[in-house]
Amino acid sequence: MAILGHNIIRVEFEKNPVPGGQVEVSLNPKIEELRLGEINLPNGKVKGIEVELTYNIIYSPEVGKGMIRMIVFYLPRNREDVDNILDNWEKEKKLPGELVAEVVNFANNLLIPFAMMITKEMGMPSPIPIPRVVVRQ
């Protein structure tokens, strides 16, 4: 159904002194843990799934690194699926594709601009390429 809330719980960025040159950046979101959660809404409490996600930003060569950890409150379309999703996670560490897509897309939309702001302030390369205009003769 939707992401009803989020909480950034840890942010770490480190800059290393490395000579210039071509830098490659890898963005790696990883779902670490799932657990039963509850959120207060105006019409009462709703049970859903708390998804703990770590978002790693890795540079090659190692000009730095970044990590953002967050918790996302996910509510499946069918509320009865909450128990099934948590049971499958506990038994096999498997997740439905819809949950993964929803959570990772939400994290990308929220964390990439956040990471761009932090890396700019620290003088590090942007985690995604910024379009550049080139004048041709």
Side-chain angles (χ1 to χ4, degrees):
M1 179 180 167
I3 304 292
L4 297 182
H6 73 280
N7 189 9
I8 295 175
I9 56 176
R10 186 175 191 154
V11 177
E12 289 181 16
F13 278 82
E14 180 180 331
K15 180 178 170 183
N16 299 327
V18 174
Q22 186 69 20
V23 175
E24 292 182 21
V25 182
S26 173
L27 303 173
N28 299 315
K30 181 180 179 191
I31 294 175
E32 302 284 349
E33 188 62 46
L34 262 66
R35 59 186 162 267
L36 183 63
E38 191 173 81
I39 192 169
N40 291 322
L41 296 176
N43 59 351
K45 292 183 180 183
V46 175
K47 291 189 181 201
I49 301 170
E50 286 185 357
V51 181
E52 189 170 327
L53 175 98
T54 301
Y55 206 90
N56 289 303
I57 301 166
I58 301 164
Y59 292 90
S60 177
E62 290 186 21
V63 296
K65 60 184 175 180
M67 186 273 296
I68 305 171
R69 180 167 278 170
M70 70 185 302
I71 295 175
V72 175
F73 188 84
Y74 175 78
L75 187 63
R77 293 190 193 284
N78 186 357
R79 293 187 185 184
E80 291 80 37
D81 287 345
V82 169
D83 291 332
N84 294 336
I85 292 169
L86 291 172
D87 288 342
N88 284 339
W89 175 257
E90 287 297 320
K91 291 177 188 172
E92 304 173 25
K93 298 291 185 199
K94 286 189 178 180
L95 296 172
E98 185 178 282
L99 181 147
V100 173
E102 188 91 26
V103 168
V104 171
N105 286 336
F106 177 82
N108 284 339
N109 288 336
L110 181 74
L111 299 180
I112 287 176
F114 183 61
M116 289 178 71
M117 181 189 68
I118 291 171
T119 55
K120 179 181 179 211
E121 289 297 319
M122 292 181 69
M124 296 169 64
S126 175
I128 60 169
I130 297 172
R132 296 178 111 20
V133 174
V134 177
V135 178
R136 294 187 184 174
Q137 303 244 354

